[in-house]
Amino acid sequence: MSAFSVATPDQLPILSRGKHRRPRKGACFMEFASFLAGEKWSDHPACTHPLLASLARQVNDVVSDEYRPRLASLVPSVIGLNDDDPRLDAIIARRAAATALPVAAAWRQRVLAVALLASEQVLAELDGRPRDDVSALSRHALEQVPHAEAWARSFTVDLPPTPRGFRRQAGPTAVRCAVEGIAQGCTAQPDRLLHQLLGRTIEDCQEWMHGKPAHQPDPARWADACQLTGTRSVD
């Protein structure tokens, strides 16, 4: 089951921007995930990979108030998607950079192209492949911005990333730049593209974790959360 096909009830919770001390004050994407997972109320729950959770928080905060409720159906899919393998950081950053690269402003494209190549280099190193072995996803994105690709290749030739350094700096930078690049970029429907980015990233993580099925929310727990945050009907 994909991230876009999680079975949810007929009501969606009202999600809102930012961090909230308690549900009565509102809930962001990851706070709602913490509640469904049975964890302590937090926007940094242990049930989700830190970089995936960061992507979810940022997408939650930049989409419009009108669109945000549509993200709620993805919340159950991030529960249980966590692993300490550094490949997961690179997989998440790769999807973010590849999605934003064609629509971001020119000055951001260089940063994103560097991040995209770095993510591929980390994955190649960990898998024992040649450093210049690039996935079809990355090739397609880079082909659309040849000038940014050329600059990024010249920049990264003498600066090969390490998995630890990528996790600490390059991965979070890639995700932040990608979300901002889409929100402020050259696209008619940034909310839809951000939603797609989050969903496809969740699917990437599920696939890497050997097809881990999406978490199916307990109806009673879902109803309790909706009662706390308020609800809207599913369109």
Side-chain angles (χ1 to χ4, degrees), residues 97-98 101-102 109-110 112-117 120 134-150 152-153:
L101 192 52
Q109 287 178 341
R110 289 186 172 187
L112 291 167
V114 169
L116 190 55
L117 290 174
E120 292 286 6
V134 176
S135 68
L137 173 67
S138 295
R139 282 199 305 270
H140 178 70
L142 291 167
E143 286 170 357
Q144 299 179 65
V145 289
H147 295 296
E149 178 186 6
R153 289 193 180 279

Side-chain angles (χ1 to χ4, degrees), residues 42-121:
S42 171
D43 62 350
H44 287 67
C47 62
T48 305
H49 187 279
L51 192 57
L52 178 59
S54 176
L55 173 63
R57 288 191 298 272
Q58 292 179 62
V59 169
N60 175 89
D61 286 355
V62 301
V63 298
S64 65
D65 293 341
E66 295 75 21
Y67 193 95
R68 190 177 299 107
R70 302 185 193 186
L71 301 178
S73 62
L74 293 179
V75 173
S77 299
V78 305
I79 297 173
L81 285 183
N82 201 356
D83 193 288
D84 195 46
D85 193 307
R87 289 176 180 83
L88 210 48
D89 295 85
I91 288 169
I92 294 166
R94 177 175 65 182
R95 175 64 69 173
T99 302
L101 192 52
V103 302
W107 67 270
R108 275 202 178 97
Q109 287 178 341
R110 289 186 172 187
V111 178
L112 291 167
V114 169
L116 190 55
L117 290 174
S119 68
E120 292 286 6
Q121 290 170 358

Side-chain angles (χ1 to χ4, degrees), residues 15 22 59 73 79 106 120 124 135 137 192-193 198 207 212 220 234:
L15 300 180
R22 57 184 67 89
V59 169
S73 62
I79 297 173
E120 292 286 6
S135 68
L137 173 67
R192 186 178 297 274
L193 186 54
L198 181 55
E207 181 180 357
K212 181 180 177 65
V234 178

Side-chain angles (χ1 to χ4, degrees), residues 174-195:
V175 165
R176 182 176 64 255
C177 188
V179 172
E180 292 174 351
I182 294 171
Q184 302 171 16
C186 184
T187 176
Q189 296 180 312
D191 288 345
R192 186 178 297 274
L193 186 54
L194 287 163
H195 188 180

Side-chain angles (χ1 to χ4, degrees), residues 152-207:
R153 289 193 180 279
S154 67
F155 180 84
T156 59
V157 66
D158 295 322
L159 294 170
T162 65
R164 178 178 295 182
F166 190 90
R167 169 172 285 179
R168 293 181 60 185
Q169 296 182 333
T173 298
V175 165
R176 182 176 64 255
C177 188
V179 172
E180 292 174 351
I182 294 171
Q184 302 171 16
C186 184
T187 176
Q189 296 180 312
D191 288 345
R192 186 178 297 274
L193 186 54
L194 287 163
H195 188 180
Q196 182 184 66
L197 165 59
L198 181 55
R200 296 304 181 200
T201 306
I202 292 169
E203 289 177 342
D204 288 345
C205 294
Q206 290 172 337
E207 181 180 357

